[in-house]
Every structure is written in C-alpha cells, then in structure tokens.
Coordinates of all heavy atoms in Angstrom, one line a residue:
Y745 N -6.9 27.0 19.1 CA -6.1 27.0 20.3 C -5.5 28.3 20.5 O -4.8 28.9 19.6 CB -5.0 26.1 20.2 CG -4.0 26.1 21.4 CD1 -4.5 25.4 22.6 CD2 -2.8 26.4 21.3 CE1 -3.6 25.4 23.8 CE2 -1.9 26.5 22.4 CZ -2.3 26.0 23.5 OH -1.4 26.0 24.7
R746 N -5.9 29.0 21.6 CA -5.5 30.4 21.9 C -5.7 31.4 20.8 O -4.9 32.2 20.3 CB -4.1 30.3 22.3 CG -3.8 29.8 23.6 CD -2.4 30.0 24.0 NE -2.2 29.2 25.4 CZ -1.2 29.4 26.1 NH1 -0.1 30.0 25.6 NH2 -1.0 28.8 27.3
G747 N -7.0 31.3 20.1 CA -7.3 32.2 19.1 C -6.9 31.8 17.6 O -7.3 32.4 16.6
N748 N -6.0 30.8 17.6 CA -5.5 30.3 16.2 C -6.2 29.0 15.7 O -6.4 28.2 16.7 CB -4.0 30.0 16.2 CG -3.2 31.3 16.5 OD1 -3.4 32.4 16.1 ND2 -2.1 31.2 17.4
T749 N -6.4 28.9 14.6 CA -7.0 27.8 14.0 C -6.0 26.8 13.4 O -5.1 27.2 12.6 CB -8.0 28.1 12.9 OG1 -9.0 28.9 13.4 CG2 -8.7 26.8 12.3
Y750 N -6.0 25.5 13.8 CA -5.1 24.5 13.3 C -5.7 23.4 12.6 O -6.8 23.0 13.0 CB -4.3 24.0 14.5 CG -3.4 24.9 15.3 CD1 -3.9 25.6 16.3 CD2 -2.2 25.2 14.8 CE1 -3.1 26.5 17.0 CE2 -1.4 26.1 15.4 CZ -1.8 26.8 16.6 OH -1.2 27.6 17.2
V751 N -5.2 22.8 11.5 CA -5.7 21.7 10.9 C -5.1 20.5 11.4 O -3.9 20.4 11.3 CB -5.6 21.8 9.3 CG1 -6.1 20.5 8.6 CG2 -6.3 23.1 8.8
V752 N -5.8 19.5 12.0 CA -5.3 18.2 12.4 C -5.7 17.1 11.4 O -6.9 16.8 11.3 CB -5.9 17.9 13.8 CG1 -5.3 16.6 14.4 CG2 -5.4 19.0 14.7
N753 N -4.7 16.8 10.5 CA -5.2 15.8 9.5 C -4.6 14.5 9.7 O -4.9 13.7 8.9 CB -4.9 16.4 8.1 CG -3.5 16.8 7.9 OD1 -2.7 16.5 8.8 ND2 -3.1 17.3 6.8
L754 N -3.8 14.3 10.7 CA -3.3 12.9 11.0 C -4.0 12.7 12.3 O -3.6 13.1 13.5 CB -1.9 12.8 11.2 CG -1.1 13.0 9.7 CD1 0.3 12.9 10.0 CD2 -1.5 11.9 8.8
L755 N -5.0 11.7 12.3 CA -5.7 11.4 13.5 C -5.1 10.2 14.3 O -4.7 9.3 13.7 CB -7.3 11.1 13.2 CG -7.9 12.3 12.5 CD1 -9.2 11.9 12.0 CD2 -8.0 13.6 13.5
P756 N -5.2 10.1 15.6 CA -4.6 9.0 16.4 C -5.5 7.7 16.2 O -6.8 7.8 16.2 CB -4.7 9.4 17.8 CG -5.7 10.5 17.8 CD -5.7 11.3 16.6
K757 N -4.9 6.7 15.9 CA -5.6 5.3 15.6 C -4.8 4.3 16.4 O -3.6 4.5 16.9 CB -5.6 5.0 14.1 CG -6.5 5.9 13.3 CD -7.9 5.9 13.6 CE -8.6 6.8 12.8 NZ -10.1 6.7 13.0
I758 N -5.3 3.0 16.4 CA -4.6 1.9 17.1 C -4.4 0.8 15.9 O -5.5 0.7 15.1 CB -5.3 1.3 18.2 CG1 -5.5 2.2 19.4 CG2 -4.8 -0.2 18.6 CD1 -4.2 2.4 20.1
K759 N -3.2 0.2 15.9 CA -3.0 -0.8 14.9 C -2.8 -2.1 15.6 O -2.0 -2.2 16.5 CB -1.9 -0.6 14.0 CG -1.6 -1.7 12.9 CD -0.7 -1.3 11.8 CE 0.7 -1.6 12.2 NZ 1.6 -1.6 11.1
L760 N -3.7 -3.0 15.3 CA -3.6 -4.4 16.0 C -3.1 -5.4 14.9 O -3.5 -5.3 13.8 CB -5.1 -5.0 16.4 CG -5.9 -4.1 17.3 CD1 -7.3 -4.7 17.6 CD2 -5.2 -4.0 18.6
E761 N -2.1 -6.2 15.3 CA -1.6 -7.2 14.5 C -1.7 -8.5 15.1 O -1.3 -8.7 16.4 CB -0.1 -6.9 14.2 CG 0.1 -5.6 13.4 CD 1.6 -5.4 13.2 OE1 2.2 -5.9 12.2 OE2 2.2 -4.7 14.0
L762 N -2.4 -9.5 14.5 CA -2.6 -10.8 15.1 C -2.2 -11.9 14.0 O -2.6 -11.6 12.8 CB -4.0 -10.9 15.4 CG -4.7 -10.0 16.2 CD1 -5.7 -9.2 15.4 CD2 -5.4 -10.7 17.4
V763 N -1.7 -13.1 14.4 CA -1.4 -14.0 13.4 C -2.3 -15.3 14.0 O -2.2 -15.6 15.1 CB 0.0 -14.6 13.3 CG1 0.1 -15.7 12.5 CG2 0.9 -13.3 12.8
V764 N -3.1 -15.8 13.1 CA -4.1 -16.8 13.6 C -4.1 -17.9 12.7 O -3.6 -17.9 11.4 CB -5.5 -16.2 13.7 CG1 -5.6 -15.1 14.9 CG2 -6.1 -15.7 12.5
T765 N -4.8 -19.0 12.9 CA -4.9 -20.3 12.1 C -5.9 -19.9 11.0 O -6.7 -19.0 11.1 CB -5.4 -21.4 12.9 OG1 -6.8 -21.2 13.4 CG2 -4.5 -21.8 14.1
D766 N -5.7 -20.6 9.9 CA -6.6 -20.6 8.7 C -8.0 -20.9 9.1 O -8.9 -20.2 8.6 CB -6.1 -21.6 7.6 CG -4.8 -21.1 7.0 OD1 -4.5 -19.8 7.0 OD2 -4.1 -22.0 6.5
E767 N -8.1 -21.8 10.2 CA -9.5 -22.0 10.6 C -10.3 -21.0 11.3 O -11.6 -20.9 11.3 CB -9.6 -23.3 11.5 CG -9.0 -24.7 10.7 CD -7.5 -24.7 10.6 OE1 -6.9 -24.2 11.4 OE2 -7.0 -25.3 9.5
S768 N -9.5 -20.1 12.1 CA -10.1 -19.3 12.9 C -10.2 -17.7 12.4 O -10.8 -16.9 12.9 CB -9.4 -19.2 14.3 OG -8.2 -18.8 14.1
F769 N -9.4 -17.5 11.2 CA -9.3 -16.1 10.9 C -10.6 -15.4 10.4 O -10.8 -14.4 10.7 CB -8.2 -16.0 9.8 CG -8.7 -16.1 8.4 CD1 -8.9 -15.0 7.6 CD2 -8.7 -17.4 7.7 CE1 -9.4 -15.1 6.4 CE2 -9.2 -17.4 6.4 CZ -9.5 -16.4 5.7
E770 N -11.6 -16.1 9.8 CA -12.7 -15.5 9.5 C -13.7 -15.1 10.7 O -14.1 -14.1 10.8 CB -13.6 -16.4 8.8 CG -13.2 -16.7 7.3 CD -13.4 -15.4 6.4 OE1 -14.0 -14.4 6.7 OE2 -12.7 -15.5 5.3
A771 N -13.6 -15.9 11.8 CA -14.2 -15.6 13.1 C -13.5 -14.5 13.6 O -14.2 -13.5 14.3 CB -14.2 -16.7 14.0
V772 N -12.2 -14.4 13.7 CA -11.4 -13.2 14.3 C -11.8 -11.9 13.6 O -11.9 -10.9 14.2 CB -9.9 -13.6 14.3 CG1 -9.2 -12.3 14.7 CG2 -9.7 -14.8 15.3

C-alpha cells in the first residue's frame, strides 16, 4: 500500500452458530 509492505495475518472469516436436533446434526 503506497509503497509499503504490510503483513496481514488475521484474515476475515464468518462464524456460523446453529443448534440442531441429534437426528439432524450429521446432515447439517
């Protein structure tokens, strides 16, 4: 960026949280 080098070591991600029944969790 503008001639300088930066190390980006924390990358953007998405965290999904779901609570499901015991019967459906493998399919999910």
Side-chain angles (χ1 to χ4, degrees):
Y745 179 72
R746 293 189 179 184
N748 294 323
T749 301
Y750 297 93
V751 177
V752 179
N753 56 6
L754 292 177
L755 301 173
K757 300 288 181 180
I758 297 289
K759 180 166 88 168
L760 304 175
E761 295 177 89
L762 311 108
V763 178
V764 297
T765 64
D766 289 332
E767 295 79 30
S768 66
F769 89 95
E770 288 288 349
V772 171

